[in-house]
Amino acid sequence: MSTSYTFETKLLHNKHKFDPVTGAVSVPIQHASTFHQKDIDEFGKYDYSRSLNPTREALEEVVAELEEGTHGFAFSSGMAAISTAFLLLSQGDHVVISEDVYGGTYRMVTTVLNRFGIDHTFVDMTNLEEVAAAVLPNTKVFYVETPSNPLLKVTDIEAISLLAKKYNALTFVDNTFLTPALQKPLTLGADVVLHSATKFLSGHSDVIAGVAVVKDAELAKQIGYLQNSFGAVLGVQDCWLLLRGIKTLHVRMKHSSEGARMIAEHLQNHPLIKKVHYPGFEDHPQYAIQRKQALNPGAVFSFELYSEEAMRTFVENVKLPVFAVSLGAVESILSYPAKMSHAAMDPLARSERGITDSLLRLSVGLENPLDLINDFDTALKKTAELHYI
């Protein structure tokens, strides 16, 4: 396919636009677990679906092209993708990692990797001096989540990637919040891009999936080996659902991002809201970096009320968003990081990172944002009445 197409056109017009055998305008779902071999000495392209499956291969090629990489890998969850990428490390290695990273990643690093002799240092990735000071002779990976979850801190991907190369280390970037529709870390120097494809890539709260993308052939060979060895591959039905969800990625991200801006601006001026964490505000500490490396701030932000009691009353009275774990869906999702995404962190660790007990995270969906604003205003009014604010 031509590479001159815009991103939104590539979502639909790519190598897998239609099935070359039947002309079907949908990637076939190949359920076979094993494939007949015609020669005892030389096997065909497919032999066993854990190693390679035509449906999963189609998905992996599509996501690789969208991220401007050369090789994609589809996993059974976002954490399966992240965990497999971490298997590039060996005993005695060290990771420098964003301090307010997703709770599942925090759990993996602090309770699993440490058992295998892989050490870590959490740092404020927005502070390059702090990052550089954390580097050790055995540092092999710089792990970046930007914007971070749930405080929406923005890391300069290009600067971190250059620093990593100085120390012959790899840069991993979790691009779940923005997707390649808004941000492409590989073009900024990152080595591995990771996604919880459960979120915006799929977009419909009906798939658990993970994705990794690289552009270096040797690195691709290593991750491919790990994917086959560890075996946490994505099933073909979910591959097909993910391919379908990706087709609407551009329009979903556009609408949801515009809605997030409207709601964040409204809440910023509300007397019951203590703080809104949103990288689209000009007074956000990394506003300039966000504008430099991404098309817009995305569809997720977080906000704090003045107390946990007020937060609880607000959640009890808001009607439209689903109150749930996850994000990036067609429906807006309101989450409570302290007991959902970051429950794996102990209270002290959350407090040190600014993840308070009055903090909520909102992933804006496809509703009319004015309806969401009205819903929030009604809940906030009830909160004010009950707490005499």
Side-chain angles (χ1 to χ4, degrees), residues 173-230:
V173 177
D174 185 330
N175 199 30
T176 297
F177 271 27
L178 296 185
T179 80
L182 303 180
Q183 178 174 270
K184 297 182 181 181
L186 292 178
T187 67
L188 299 169
D191 298 292
V192 181
V193 175
L194 298 160
H195 288 271
S196 172
T198 307
K199 313 303 194 294
F200 287 108
L201 288 182
S202 171
H204 292 77
S205 297
D206 56 9
V207 175
I208 298 292
V211 167
V213 180
V214 302
K215 62 180 179 180
D216 178 79
E218 179 56 33
L219 191 55
K221 184 178 179 181
Q222 293 177 46
I223 293 181
Y225 181 86
L226 291 169
Q227 182 191 40
N228 188 39
S229 300
F230 196 53

Side-chain angles (χ1 to χ4, degrees), residues 234-301:
L234 189 61
V236 293
Q237 187 74 31
D238 287 338
C239 286
W240 185 87
L241 285 169
L242 187 48
L243 279 164
R244 185 177 68 169
I246 285 173
K247 290 179 180 180
T248 60
L249 177 63
H250 171 73
V251 291
R252 288 188 287 105
M253 292 302 293
K254 184 176 186 295
H255 180 91
S256 293
S257 297
E258 290 172 353
R261 176 177 292 279
M262 290 176 61
I263 300 167
E265 289 175 347
H266 182 79
L267 291 180
Q268 184 185 36
N269 299 315
H270 199 287
L272 294 190
I273 303 300
K274 181 179 180 181
K275 184 174 180 61
V276 177
H277 303 271
Y278 175 64
F281 291 152
E282 291 188 10
D283 61 354
H284 186 283
Q286 295 91 41
Y287 172 77
I289 296 172
Q290 180 68 14
R291 289 201 64 180
K292 179 187 73 171
Q293 67 186 21
L295 293 181
N296 70 51
V300 180
F301 67 90

Side-chain angles (χ1 to χ4, degrees), residues 60-104:
E60 292 175 336
E61 289 178 352
V62 167
V63 295
E65 181 179 6
L66 296 180
E67 281 284 10
E68 297 191 29
T70 57
H71 297 79
F73 304 90
F75 296 90
S76 56
S77 69
M79 282 312 306
I82 291 167
S83 300
T84 303
F86 273 134
L87 290 178
L88 289 166
L89 296 167
S90 301
Q91 183 179 10
D93 288 346
H94 173 255
V95 180
V96 177
I97 183 169
S98 301
E99 62 180 358
D100 59 328
V101 76
Y102 166 60

